Amino acid sequence: MDRAQKSELVEELNGTFAATGVVVVTLNKGMTVKQSTDLRNKMREAGASYQVAKNRLAKIAIQGTPYASIGTMLSGPTGLAYSNDPVAAAKVAADFAKTTDKFEIVGGAMGETVLDPAGVTALASLPSLDELRAKIVGLIQAPATKLAQIAQAPAAQLARVFGAYAAKEDA
């Protein structure tokens, strides 16, 4: 890479770090191309991204962002997983780390909060943003459904009483 390409990469990474919800730092110990492609595809499906960048350039890029504290984690063959959803990148990284011993979670950050590997794993166990939205919609709809059932119950009881009187008169 020449100097202009490095500068462009640093600016791109800086913009990414400024706008993202979570960053997970991983250690790649000789992953194959197929494994890397599989990881990137899984990240993309979850709404996250995975990028391998030179540590020196990544350290320059995190300056002035909430993720400046992860600079100490950037050593060795690292990769960065990030997403706007605080759970997506952590969930995919934790699931992928279970399938191969060539991929390890070093830590991460959620804003200015630094996470160790156990913190990233705990974050991965939380429900995603879409799952939380679905639960909230379900909780909001449940009282409305119950209210409709309660409102219909007296009318149904009255209909049964009238039906019983009609049957009694016919008999």
Side-chain angles (χ1 to χ4, degrees):
M1 291 179 89
D2 65 355
R3 183 171 250 151
Q5 290 173 323
K6 289 179 183 178
S7 176
E8 185 178 313
L9 179 64
V10 167
E11 287 179 31
E12 178 185 329
L13 280 174
N14 186 278
T16 300
F17 287 136
T20 193
V22 67
V23 174
V24 178
V25 180
T26 64
L27 186 63
N28 306 318
K29 299 182 248 177
M31 285 182 12
T32 64
V33 173
K34 183 182 182 321
Q35 289 172 321
S36 294
T37 304
D38 188 34
L39 174 61
R40 283 188 169 92
N41 289 337
K42 287 179 181 179
M43 287 282 184
R44 198 172 301 118
E45 288 172 9
S49 297
Y50 183 76
Q51 186 171 2
V52 176
K54 289 186 177 257
N55 293 331
R56 189 172 50 83
L57 297 177
K59 286 179 183 179
I60 294 169
I62 60 175
Q63 299 306 316
T65 68
Y67 299 100
S69 56
I70 65 169
T72 57
M73 297 178 197
L74 299 173
S75 63
T78 58
L80 303 168
Y82 51 89
S83 67
N84 290 333
D85 180 359
V87 179
K91 190 170 286 214
V92 174
D95 289 344
F96 194 79
K98 292 176 188 175
T99 63
T100 181
D101 58 344
K102 296 178 181 179
F103 183 80
E104 180 182 323
I105 296 173
V106 176
M110 198 167 85
E112 294 183 4
T113 306
V114 178
L115 303 170
D116 61 349
V120 172
T121 306
L123 184 63
S125 67
L126 294 175
S128 71
L129 195 56
D130 290 337
E131 291 170 358
L132 288 175
R133 286 179 181 149
K135 285 182 182 181
I136 289 172
V137 167
L139 290 173
I140 290 171
Q141 284 181 338
T145 304
K146 290 191 188 288
L147 185 63
Q149 290 172 349
I150 290 170
Q152 288 177 348
Q157 289 174 348
L158 282 173
R160 278 189 233 116
V161 169
F162 292 144
Y165 278 123
K168 184 177 176 184
E169 287 180 11
D170 289 340

